[in-house]
Amino acid sequence: MGDSSISPTYTMEYQTDSDESTATAVVQAVADHKGVRHDELKPIYESIEPDALDSLVGTDSDVVVQFKYAGEVVTVGPNQICLGSKGSTMEQLSEDS
């Protein structure tokens, strides 16, 4: 039987505008996934430094960052945000590269 503790994966592809950070895209993805407004979530800086996230996961980067935010495991890679269980999100990003 399957492990019922593994949550389904939600994947969102994103393109950041010049005035939008990766951290902002993560907050919006989590809010959309949870069906809430982004201002109902805790500030993302309580989970990860937003400037560091933006620096690590740039448009020309192949770095993948994973962290927990608002009760979700968030995996951020080039132009992609995945929400779900740790193993499933890392595997999905690896398959998509």
Side-chain angles (χ1 to χ4, degrees), residues 4-56:
S4 61
S5 66
I6 297 176
S7 60
T9 301
Y10 169 80
T11 305
M12 174 187 153
E13 290 198 28
Y14 69 94
Q15 296 287 329
T16 55
D17 297 328
S18 59
D19 61 340
E20 180 184 46
S21 68
T22 302
T24 300
V26 167
V27 172
Q28 192 58 56
V30 172
D32 289 349
H33 177 66
K34 290 182 165 284
V36 300
R37 294 187 331 256
H38 71 278
D39 58 357
E40 295 178 55
L41 299 173
K42 289 185 176 185
I44 194 168
Y45 62 76
E46 291 183 8
S47 297
I48 193 166
E49 168 56 48
D51 292 335
L53 179 62
D54 292 339
S55 295
L56 287 170

Side-chain angles (χ1 to χ4, degrees), residues 41-90:
L41 299 173
K42 289 185 176 185
I44 194 168
Y45 62 76
E46 291 183 8
S47 297
I48 193 166
E49 168 56 48
D51 292 335
L53 179 62
D54 292 339
S55 295
L56 287 170
V57 187
T59 54
D60 297 329
S61 173
D62 59 354
V63 172
V64 175
V65 177
Q66 188 171 73
F67 58 98
K68 197 161 190 181
Y69 172 62
E72 300 290 336
V73 175
V74 179
T75 307
V76 182
N79 294 321
Q80 197 169 48
I81 298 169
C82 296
L83 308 176
S85 65
K86 183 176 181 178
S88 65
T89 56
M90 291 298 285

